[in-house]
Each structure stands twice: as structure tokens, then as C-alpha cells.
Amino acid sequence: MSKPIFIINGPNLNLLGTREPEVYGTQTLDDVKGICDKKAQALGYKITFLQSNIEGELIDFIQQAGRDGAGIVINPAAYTHTSVAMHDALKAVDVPSIEIHLSQPAKRESFRRRSYVAEAVHGTISGFGADSYVLGLQALSNLI
Ligand code: CA2
């Protein structure tokens, strides 16, 4: 049995589908999990789908994925633009990782243009709503 793909979600993504639908869409995080389950199954993988609002917990998830996972799809949410700790954690694991975003941060406020995570992952997919997760899984499975 192959190791699962870890899908890690950062702060406030638990609110998905309840606010700002024009930016983040109408699907809930649970809907996104279902979409990821289906795509991963088609690719021959199981997923471990996680969310936290706490930076240290997200670091623990990344380390756990390094030990027990085949790879990482991560939406670091606002920590994308602030977290050296997440950058370091992603660099410290030996599994491939893909950064994904629902929206296209480059088209939004200037503070969203900097990603500390981008320099530590294989690549970034953004701007496709829930499809960013699907595209991220596809890209990751090509790397594993
Ligand atoms: O577009 C993305 O996926 C983001 O990672 C989402 C983050 C944002 O800080 C990044 O710049 C881009 C914000 C996630 C907050 O999600 C909410 C969802 C519904 C209601 C409120 C917040």
C-alpha cells in the first residue's frame, strides 16, 4: 500500500464557503476534501486532509508528511506571505511539495505578492478555485 498524499490547509480555510464567495467560491472545505478524495483515488492514492489555524500545528503536519506521506499539496493561506518557519519545514522534508491557492494572489493586494513558501516547493498553482487542488494533485503524482 503506497503512502498517502498529505493535503495541508492553513488559517481560515475552515471558513470556506461561508464568506467572500466572489474570491474563494461557494464550496466548503469539506466539499474540497471530497473533490480531492475523488481525484486522488483516480490517481491511485489515499489522502490525509488536514487544516489548522495554528502555525506550529501546520509545521507538525509538514514534518508528519515527511515521515509518513508520499508528498504534500499545501495551501498555506495567509502564512504564505509571512512564514519563514513553513519555508524551513518544507525545505527539511524529503518528499515533493506543491503550493496551491484558490485565488490568484498576484492579482490582489501587494502584500500577497510575496510567497515565502514558493522558494521551498517544486511549483505553485493558483487562481483556479477548487480545481487548484485537483491540478496540484495531478502535478504532485507526476513528481512522485
Ligand atoms: O487563494 C488562496 O487560496 C489563499 O491562500 C487564501 C488565503 C489568503 O490569505 C491567500 O493570500 C490566498 C485566505 C484564506 C481565508 O479563507 C477564507 C475563506 C472564506 C472566508 C474567509 C476566509
Side-chain angles (χ1 to χ4, degrees):
M1 187 66 185
S2 63
K3 291 177 165 184
I5 289 173
F6 275 61
I7 303 177
I8 300 175
N9 295 280
N12 296 308
L13 286 166
N14 54 310
L15 300 176
L16 214 57
T18 65
R19 263 170 233 169
E20 299 190 67
E22 66 291 351
V23 183
Y24 299 120
T26 53
Q27 282 152 320
T28 65
L29 195 60
D30 214 44
D31 294 334
V32 173
K33 180 174 186 271
I35 290 165
C36 288
D37 251 327
K38 212 165 131 197
K39 176 66 180 177
Q41 209 177 323
L43 293 168
Y45 287 96
K46 296 251 184 243
I47 58 167
T48 299
F49 194 91
L50 302 163
Q51 189 274 333
S52 178
N53 294 326
I54 301 167
E55 188 174 13
E57 263 180 23
L58 292 162
I59 305 300
D60 287 343
F61 293 162
I62 293 167
Q63 291 184 5
Q64 190 192 339
R67 289 189 302 270
D68 306 333
I72 301 170
V73 172
I74 185 161
N75 184 348
Y79 289 137
T80 306
H81 317 296
T82 63
S83 181
V84 176
M86 263 189 157
H87 168 108
D88 289 346
L90 285 162
K91 277 204 130 168
V93 292
D94 280 332
V95 294
S97 54
I98 306 275
E99 172 189 5
I100 65 110
H101 299 283
L102 295 154
S103 67
Q104 169 60 297
K107 285 204 297 203
R108 301 178 63 194
E109 302 95 327
S110 59
F111 63 81
R112 294 188 204 275
R113 283 189 203 133
R114 174 80 160 100
S115 169
Y116 285 85
V117 168
E119 293 149 42
V121 295
H122 190 91
T124 302
I125 295 165
S126 56
F128 298 97
D131 277 350
S132 293
Y133 286 78
V134 173
L135 295 167
L137 280 167
Q138 181 67 60
L140 184 71
S141 82
N142 294 348
L143 291 174
I144 294 171

